[in-house]
Amino acid sequence: MFDWMVWTTPIAVFFTCIVLMLVGMTVWEIRSPTTVRKGFLPIATTRGDRLFIGLLTAAYINLAFVGMAGWFAEWFSLESEPSVWISFVLSMAVLALIMKKG
């Protein structure tokens, strides 16, 4: 069924993290309903809003990194394209920042 997808370890870890975040946020919301607050984002948001914005941002960071990996290898004279773990760590850090301060 999923033969068309390339399931590498970083991809599996990324999607597993997303599923765990969604489950965790659901439990957190049930136990402690959220309130709207204003952070550095230009709109007042709830936890769910910040998670959605953060997940979109993480996806765009990963897509941009994968799209530019060949250029990075050329620009920095690398023997091969940089690991996607770099974009995973960067995207999770940005997600955490949005969740905390957004």
Side-chain angles (χ1 to χ4, degrees):
M1 180 171 156
F2 291 110
D3 293 339
W4 60 273
M5 290 195 72
V6 180
W7 283 101
T8 62
T9 302
I11 301 299
V13 169
F14 181 75
F15 282 109
T16 302
C17 287
I18 290 174
V19 168
L20 290 174
M21 278 187 280
L22 291 173
V23 169
M25 288 292 290
T26 302
V27 171
W28 190 8
E29 185 66 29
I30 291 169
R31 295 194 60 144
S32 170
T34 190
T35 58
V36 177
R37 72 173 171 88
K38 178 94 169 75
F40 69 82
L41 294 172
I43 57 174
T45 58
T46 64
R47 281 191 298 250
D49 297 335
R50 290 187 301 276
L51 177 65
F52 180 73
I53 292 167
L55 287 174
L56 282 177
T57 304
Y60 288 131
I61 289 170
N62 280 296
L63 286 173
F65 187 86
V66 168
M68 296 177 67
W71 290 345
F72 291 151
E74 186 179 319
W75 292 341
F76 300 116
S77 302
L78 303 173
E79 292 179 13
S80 63
E81 293 182 354
S83 172
V84 293
W85 286 108
I86 296 168
S87 67
F88 173 74
V89 170
L90 178 64
S91 66
M92 289 300 107
V94 169
L95 175 61
L97 176 70
I98 290 172
M99 289 297 294
K100 181 77 174 165
K101 302 284 184 180

